[in-house]
Amino acid sequence: MKRLNNAGEQGNLAYVSIFGTTQIHLRSPMIAALWSMAFPGFGHLLLSKYLRGFALVIWEIYINQTIHLNTAMVYTFMGDIDAAKSVLDVQFMHLYIPVYLFAIWDSYRTAVDLNKVYLSHIGNKSTINQRLIIRPLEINYLDKRCPVSAFFWSMAIPSVGHFYNHRIVSGLFTLVTTVIYVYHSHLLEGIHYLILGRVETAINVLDKQWLLYMPSFYFFTIYDAYVGVIENNKLFNREQSALLKKYYQKGSLLIDRGWRVR
């Protein structure tokens, strides 16, 4: 921990750019591991480890499609074990297991390490590089946003909750992934026929292999957008407090523990 303190005295806990605000804050290692269990890569995206997270998500989609894992899971849920065995590609299946376990372990380990980094930096006065970024194509600034708005916009369509919180890279990746899942699973067609009361047609039109990606993906985008806004608001409060103390609070002002400031 001493090395972290020495090496990080000049560092920041957050970085504001035109692509978004990336920050280190306290996270639950268990939650990161559980999201990695639901879908490899999600735990790393929670930790703002975007390159590793996106790589694991793409790997999960590729290898899952190759071995037809989702289809096998559907047959397993239906109790048809023989059909599940017949669709699995055994040769590539053994490539899936070690990467899946690594994603869970690495997201848990990374969350623990980042918590240590956060605790070693939290006493510093400066925790962010800039509060306002202006570039020819984009503007980003640190302000407070509504977590409920992010929650409901993400429910409407994954990705817009991330755009609301100005997380451009995650939003673009999520939007493209949403289009791919919805198109190949024929989800909207299924919903259309379901509304018309044609239940059997709705079931037949759905692609089970692609459809099974949607639950974990959908709920993760809602959770990630909601938590992202909350942590962004905490960062704003912390920086606003430091700014007011620096420019408006007298150095002689002392507030003892237990005093209430009205």
Side-chain angles (χ1 to χ4, degrees), residues 191-210:
I191 294 175
H192 173 76
Y193 289 122
L194 185 63
I195 293 174
L196 295 177
R198 299 167 59 180
V199 179
E200 186 175 350
T201 305
I203 294 174
N204 292 332
V205 79
L206 292 174
D207 188 311
K208 302 176 183 60
Q209 172 63 29
W210 284 98

PDB file of all heavy atoms in Angstrom, residues 191-210:
ATOM      1  N   ILE A 191     -42.456 -10.223 -30.791  1.00  0.00           N
ATOM      2  CA  ILE A 191     -43.336  -9.352 -30.002  1.00  0.00           C
ATOM      3  C   ILE A 191     -44.531  -8.910 -30.841  1.00  0.00           C
ATOM      4  O   ILE A 191     -45.664  -8.846 -30.347  1.00  0.00           O
ATOM      5  CB  ILE A 191     -42.542  -8.137 -29.483  1.00  0.00           C
ATOM      6  CG1 ILE A 191     -41.463  -8.586 -28.481  1.00  0.00           C
ATOM      7  CG2 ILE A 191     -43.486  -7.115 -28.835  1.00  0.00           C
ATOM      8  CD1 ILE A 191     -40.567  -7.463 -28.015  1.00  0.00           C
ATOM      9  N   HIS A 192     -44.276  -8.621 -32.114  1.00  0.00           N
ATOM     10  CA  HIS A 192     -45.354  -8.196 -33.018  1.00  0.00           C
ATOM     11  C   HIS A 192     -46.438  -9.273 -33.134  1.00  0.00           C
ATOM     12  O   HIS A 192     -47.638  -8.983 -32.979  1.00  0.00           O
ATOM     13  CB  HIS A 192     -44.774  -7.888 -34.404  1.00  0.00           C
ATOM     14  CG  HIS A 192     -45.795  -7.606 -35.447  1.00  0.00           C
ATOM     15  ND1 HIS A 192     -46.476  -6.413 -35.520  1.00  0.00           N
ATOM     16  CD2 HIS A 192     -46.265  -8.381 -36.468  1.00  0.00           C
ATOM     17  CE1 HIS A 192     -47.325  -6.449 -36.537  1.00  0.00           C
ATOM     18  NE2 HIS A 192     -47.206  -7.626 -37.141  1.00  0.00           N
ATOM     19  N   TYR A 193     -46.019 -10.499 -33.375  1.00  0.00           N
ATOM     20  CA  TYR A 193     -46.993 -11.590 -33.492  1.00  0.00           C
ATOM     21  C   TYR A 193     -47.663 -11.897 -32.158  1.00  0.00           C
ATOM     22  O   TYR A 193     -48.838 -12.291 -32.111  1.00  0.00           O
ATOM     23  CB  TYR A 193     -46.312 -12.845 -34.033  1.00  0.00           C
ATOM     24  CG  TYR A 193     -45.930 -12.747 -35.495  1.00  0.00           C
ATOM     25  CD1 TYR A 193     -44.608 -12.916 -35.903  1.00  0.00           C
ATOM     26  CD2 TYR A 193     -46.895 -12.482 -36.461  1.00  0.00           C
ATOM     27  CE1 TYR A 193     -44.255 -12.820 -37.243  1.00  0.00           C
ATOM     28  CE2 TYR A 193     -46.553 -12.392 -37.806  1.00  0.00           C
ATOM     29  CZ  TYR A 193     -45.233 -12.551 -38.187  1.00  0.00           C
ATOM     30  OH  TYR A 193     -44.896 -12.448 -39.518  1.00  0.00           O
ATOM     31  N   LEU A 194     -46.935 -11.705 -31.063  1.00  0.00           N
ATOM     32  CA  LEU A 194     -47.507 -11.939 -29.735  1.00  0.00           C
ATOM     33  C   LEU A 194     -48.622 -10.938 -29.455  1.00  0.00           C
ATOM     34  O   LEU A 194     -49.667 -11.294 -28.891  1.00  0.00           O
ATOM     35  CB  LEU A 194     -46.421 -11.846 -28.669  1.00  0.00           C
ATOM     36  CG  LEU A 194     -46.841 -12.189 -27.234  1.00  0.00           C
ATOM     37  CD1 LEU A 194     -47.274 -13.648 -27.150  1.00  0.00           C
ATOM     38  CD2 LEU A 194     -45.688 -11.925 -26.268  1.00  0.00           C
ATOM     39  N   ILE A 195     -48.411  -9.684 -29.843  1.00  0.00           N
ATOM     40  CA  ILE A 195     -49.434  -8.656 -29.661  1.00  0.00           C
ATOM     41  C   ILE A 195     -50.678  -8.996 -30.480  1.00  0.00           C
ATOM     42  O   ILE A 195     -51.816  -8.751 -30.052  1.00  0.00           O
ATOM     43  CB  ILE A 195     -48.884  -7.271 -30.057  1.00  0.00           C
ATOM     44  CG1 ILE A 195     -47.785  -6.846 -29.081  1.00  0.00           C
ATOM     45  CG2 ILE A 195     -49.995  -6.219 -30.090  1.00  0.00           C
ATOM     46  CD1 ILE A 195     -47.086  -5.558 -29.463  1.00  0.00           C
ATOM     47  N   LEU A 196     -50.472  -9.571 -31.670  1.00  0.00           N
ATOM     48  CA  LEU A 196     -51.593  -9.965 -32.527  1.00  0.00           C
ATOM     49  C   LEU A 196     -52.283 -11.227 -32.041  1.00  0.00           C
ATOM     50  O   LEU A 196     -53.314 -11.636 -32.604  1.00  0.00           O
ATOM     51  CB  LEU A 196     -51.097 -10.182 -33.963  1.00  0.00           C
ATOM     52  CG  LEU A 196     -50.565  -8.944 -34.691  1.00  0.00           C
ATOM     53  CD1 LEU A 196     -50.047  -9.326 -36.072  1.00  0.00           C
ATOM     54  CD2 LEU A 196     -51.650  -7.872 -34.811  1.00  0.00           C
ATOM     55  N   GLY A 197     -51.717 -11.865 -30.998  1.00  0.00           N
ATOM     56  CA  GLY A 197     -52.328 -13.066 -30.452  1.00  0.00           C
ATOM     57  C   GLY A 197     -51.895 -14.341 -31.137  1.00  0.00           C
ATOM     58  O   GLY A 197     -52.429 -15.414 -30.838  1.00  0.00           O
ATOM     59  N   ARG A 198     -50.936 -14.256 -32.032  1.00  0.00           N
ATOM     60  CA  ARG A 198     -50.452 -15.436 -32.763  1.00  0.00           C
ATOM     61  C   ARG A 198     -49.237 -15.990 -32.007  1.00  0.00           C
ATOM     62  O   ARG A 198     -48.096 -15.827 -32.404  1.00  0.00           O
ATOM     63  CB  ARG A 198     -50.107 -15.051 -34.190  1.00  0.00           C
ATOM     64  CG  ARG A 198     -51.310 -14.515 -34.956  1.00  0.00           C
ATOM     65  CD  ARG A 198     -50.930 -13.842 -36.254  1.00  0.00           C
ATOM     66  NE  ARG A 198     -50.214 -14.744 -37.166  1.00  0.00           N
ATOM     67  CZ  ARG A 198     -49.782 -14.387 -38.376  1.00  0.00           C
ATOM     68  NH1 ARG A 198     -49.981 -13.143 -38.800  1.00  0.00           N
ATOM     69  NH2 ARG A 198     -49.137 -15.237 -39.136  1.00  0.00           N
ATOM     70  N   VAL A 199     -49.510 -16.669 -30.908  1.00  0.00           N
ATOM     71  CA  VAL A 199     -48.456 -17.109 -29.993  1.00  0.00           C
ATOM     72  C   VAL A 199     -47.543 -18.133 -30.645  1.00  0.00           C
ATOM     73  O   VAL A 199     -46.313 -18.060 -30.526  1.00  0.00           O
ATOM     74  CB  VAL A 199     -49.079 -17.689 -28.699  1.00  0.00           C
ATOM     75  CG1 VAL A 199     -47.978 -18.175 -27.762  1.00  0.00           C
ATOM     76  CG2 VAL A 199     -49.946 -16.642 -28.017  1.00  0.00           C
ATOM     77  N   GLU A 200     -48.122 -19.093 -31.353  1.00  0.00           N
ATOM     78  CA  GLU A 200     -47.313 -20.145 -31.975  1.00  0.00           C
ATOM     79  C   GLU A 200     -46.379 -19.562 -33.035  1.00  0.00           C
ATOM     80  O   GLU A 200     -45.211 -19.952 -33.130  1.00  0.00           O
ATOM     81  CB  GLU A 200     -48.221 -21.203 -32.596  1.00  0.00           C
ATOM     82  CG  GLU A 200     -47.456 -22.398 -33.144  1.00  0.00           C
ATOM     83  CD  GLU A 200     -48.377 -23.487 -33.633  1.00  0.00           C
ATOM     84  OE1 GLU A 200     -49.601 -23.394 -33.377  1.00  0.00           O
ATOM     85  OE2 GLU A 200     -47.877 -24.435 -34.267  1.00  0.00           O
ATOM     86  N   THR A 201     -46.884 -18.609 -33.818  1.00  0.00           N
ATOM     87  CA  THR A 201     -46.043 -17.962 -34.820  1.00  0.00           C
ATOM     88  C   THR A 201     -44.924 -17.173 -34.156  1.00  0.00           C
ATOM     89  O   THR A 201     -43.779 -17.168 -34.632  1.00  0.00           O
ATOM     90  CB  THR A 201     -46.882 -17.024 -35.702  1.00  0.00           C
ATOM     91  OG1 THR A 201     -47.963 -17.748 -36.278  1.00  0.00           O
ATOM     92  CG2 THR A 201     -46.037 -16.412 -36.801  1.00  0.00           C
ATOM     93  N   ALA A 202     -45.238 -16.518 -33.045  1.00  0.00           N
ATOM     94  CA  ALA A 202     -44.230 -15.748 -32.312  1.00  0.00           C
ATOM     95  C   ALA A 202     -43.112 -16.656 -31.812  1.00  0.00           C
ATOM     96  O   ALA A 202     -41.928 -16.304 -31.886  1.00  0.00           O
ATOM     97  CB  ALA A 202     -44.880 -15.017 -31.151  1.00  0.00           C
ATOM     98  N   ILE A 203     -43.472 -17.838 -31.319  1.00  0.00           N
ATOM     99  CA  ILE A 203     -42.471 -18.773 -30.806  1.00  0.00           C
ATOM    100  C   ILE A 203     -41.603 -19.312 -31.938  1.00  0.00           C
ATOM    101  O   ILE A 203     -40.377 -19.418 -31.817  1.00  0.00           O
ATOM    102  CB  ILE A 203     -43.160 -19.933 -30.060  1.00  0.00           C
ATOM    103  CG1 ILE A 203     -43.858 -19.403 -28.798  1.00  0.00           C
ATOM    104  CG2 ILE A 203     -42.144 -21.015 -29.688  1.00  0.00           C
ATOM    105  CD1 ILE A 203     -44.678 -20.446 -28.073  1.00  0.00           C
ATOM    106  N   ASN A 204     -42.223 -19.631 -33.060  1.00  0.00           N
ATOM    107  CA  ASN A 204     -41.490 -20.226 -34.180  1.00  0.00           C
ATOM    108  C   ASN A 204     -40.531 -19.248 -34.842  1.00  0.00           C
ATOM    109  O   ASN A 204     -39.495 -19.656 -35.381  1.00  0.00           O
ATOM    110  CB  ASN A 204     -42.481 -20.775 -35.211  1.00  0.00           C
ATOM    111  CG  ASN A 204     -43.261 -21.963 -34.687  1.00  0.00           C
ATOM    112  OD1 ASN A 204     -42.787 -22.698 -33.825  1.00  0.00           O
ATOM    113  ND2 ASN A 204     -44.470 -22.146 -35.191  1.00  0.00           N
ATOM    114  N   VAL A 205     -40.878 -17.968 -34.843  1.00  0.00           N
ATOM    115  CA  VAL A 205     -40.048 -16.990 -35.544  1.00  0.00           C
ATOM    116  C   VAL A 205     -38.784 -16.642 -34.760  1.00  0.00           C
ATOM    117  O   VAL A 205     -37.801 -16.172 -35.323  1.00  0.00           O
ATOM    118  CB  VAL A 205     -40.869 -15.711 -35.849  1.00  0.00           C
ATOM    119  CG1 VAL A 205     -40.985 -14.820 -34.612  1.00  0.00           C
ATOM    120  CG2 VAL A 205     -40.234 -14.926 -36.993  1.00  0.00           C
ATOM    121  N   LEU A 206     -38.800 -16.889 -33.459  1.00  0.00           N
ATOM    122  CA  LEU A 206     -37.655 -16.528 -32.611  1.00  0.00           C
ATOM    123  C   LEU A 206     -36.477 -17.472 -32.842  1.00  0.00           C
ATOM    124  O   LEU A 206     -36.660 -18.679 -32.999  1.00  0.00           O
ATOM    125  CB  LEU A 206     -38.052 -16.560 -31.133  1.00  0.00           C
ATOM    126  CG  LEU A 206     -39.042 -15.495 -30.660  1.00  0.00           C
ATOM    127  CD1 LEU A 206     -39.446 -15.762 -29.216  1.00  0.00           C
ATOM    128  CD2 LEU A 206     -38.431 -14.098 -30.779  1.00  0.00           C
ATOM    129  N   ASP A 207     -35.272 -16.904 -32.835  1.00  0.00           N
ATOM    130  CA  ASP A 207     -34.047 -17.686 -32.896  1.00  0.00           C
ATOM    131  C   ASP A 207     -33.526 -17.837 -31.471  1.00  0.00           C
ATOM    132  O   ASP A 207     -33.029 -16.888 -30.871  1.00  0.00           O
ATOM    133  CB  ASP A 207     -33.005 -16.987 -33.775  1.00  0.00           C
ATOM    134  CG  ASP A 207     -31.772 -17.852 -34.020  1.00  0.00           C
ATOM    135  OD1 ASP A 207     -31.231 -18.400 -33.047  1.00  0.00           O
ATOM    136  OD2 ASP A 207     -31.341 -17.955 -35.181  1.00  0.00           O
ATOM    137  N   LYS A 208     -33.638 -19.054 -30.932  1.00  0.00           N
ATOM    138  CA  LYS A 208     -33.323 -19.281 -29.519  1.00  0.00           C
ATOM    139  C   LYS A 208     -31.861 -19.018 -29.204  1.00  0.00           C
ATOM    140  O   LYS A 208     -31.517 -18.558 -28.111  1.00  0.00           O
ATOM    141  CB  LYS A 208     -33.705 -20.709 -29.134  1.00  0.00           C
ATOM    142  CG  LYS A 208     -35.169 -21.038 -29.359  1.00  0.00           C
ATOM    143  CD  LYS A 208     -35.463 -22.488 -29.047  1.00  0.00           C
ATOM    144  CE  LYS A 208     -36.913 -22.852 -29.338  1.00  0.00           C
ATOM    145  NZ  LYS A 208     -37.275 -22.647 -30.761  1.00  0.00           N
ATOM    146  N   GLN A 209     -30.969 -19.338 -30.135  1.00  0.00           N
ATOM    147  CA  GLN A 209     -29.536 -19.143 -29.911  1.00  0.00           C
ATOM    148  C   GLN A 209     -29.223 -17.670 -29.659  1.00  0.00           C
ATOM    149  O   GLN A 209     -28.474 -17.331 -28.750  1.00  0.00           O
ATOM    150  CB  GLN A 209     -28.756 -19.649 -31.120  1.00  0.00           C
ATOM    151  CG  GLN A 209     -27.265 -19.338 -31.108  1.00  0.00           C
ATOM    152  CD  GLN A 209     -26.518 -19.994 -29.973  1.00  0.00           C
ATOM    153  OE1 GLN A 209     -26.901 -21.062 -29.495  1.00  0.00           O
ATOM    154  NE2 GLN A 209     -25.438 -19.371 -29.527  1.00  0.00           N
ATOM    155  N   TRP A 210     -29.791 -16.780 -30.454  1.00  0.00           N
ATOM    156  CA  TRP A 210     -29.542 -15.347 -30.283  1.00  0.00           C
ATOM    157  C   TRP A 210     -30.396 -14.748 -29.173  1.00  0.00           C
ATOM    158  O   TRP A 210     -29.976 -13.809 -28.496  1.00  0.00           O
ATOM    159  CB  TRP A 210     -29.802 -14.613 -31.602  1.00  0.00           C
ATOM    160  CG  TRP A 210     -28.713 -14.787 -32.608  1.00  0.00           C
ATOM    161  CD1 TRP A 210     -28.673 -15.661 -33.646  1.00  0.00           C
ATOM    162  CD2 TRP A 210     -27.471 -14.060 -32.660  1.00  0.00           C
ATOM    163  NE1 TRP A 210     -27.505 -15.534 -34.348  1.00  0.00           N
ATOM    164  CE2 TRP A 210     -26.747 -14.557 -33.768  1.00  0.00           C
ATOM    165  CE3 TRP A 210     -26.910 -13.043 -31.888  1.00  0.00           C
ATOM    166  CZ2 TRP A 210     -25.496 -14.061 -34.112  1.00  0.00           C
ATOM    167  CZ3 TRP A 210     -25.656 -12.547 -32.232  1.00  0.00           C
ATOM    168  CH2 TRP A 210     -24.961 -13.066 -33.336  1.00  0.00           C
TER     169      TRP A 210
END
